[in-house]
Amino acid sequence: MAIADSDLAPIVASNNKLLKALIGLLAIKDRHLLEDLRTVFAMADRDGAAGSAEARIWERLRLDLDIITDMVHGGEDDHDARPRRTGGSGH
């Protein structure tokens, strides 16, 4: 079953959001994950000989990692200041 071009953009956008959320959740559990991802991607982009389209992809990837880092680490201050609720009636 082929996917129409008009359906492709929302699929890519939703996959992008899901992957960012997943990486963010994993990064909360593993504080070194984002730095490890940066290292892996830096090694893959080491020679930079792939051309301008590839360079834009790597730049976007670095930007996305920065966004995820801000999301994960930006919430830590709020999390530390606010006690976690346990139990209760769920209201």
Side-chain angles (χ1 to χ4, degrees), residues 28 68-82:
I28 291 170
I68 293 167
T69 300
D70 289 345
M71 177 183 68
V72 170
H73 296 299
E76 287 179 351
D77 294 336
D78 294 340
H79 175 71
D80 292 341
R82 200 174 41 229

Side-chain angles (χ1 to χ4, degrees), residues 7 12 33 36 38-40 42 48 53 65 67 74 76-77:
D7 294 334
V12 169
L33 176 70
D36 291 345
R38 281 188 177 86
T39 300
V40 167
L65 284 174
I67 291 168
E76 287 179 351
D77 294 336

Side-chain angles (χ1 to χ4, degrees), residues 37-73:
L37 284 172
R38 281 188 177 86
T39 300
V40 167
F41 292 132
M43 290 170 55
D45 187 36
R46 191 176 332 181
D47 58 11
S52 63
E54 191 73 17
R56 288 191 316 248
I57 291 169
W58 291 117
E59 181 57 34
R60 179 59 197 212
L61 216 158
R62 285 188 288 274
L63 176 64
D64 286 345
L65 284 174
D66 289 344
I67 291 168
I68 293 167
T69 300
D70 289 345
M71 177 183 68
V72 170
H73 296 299

Side-chain angles (χ1 to χ4, degrees), residues 23-31 33-34 71-73 76:
I23 292 168
L25 289 171
L26 291 172
I28 291 170
K29 296 286 187 184
D30 179 356
R31 296 196 175 269
L33 176 70
L34 294 171
M71 177 183 68
V72 170
H73 296 299
E76 287 179 351

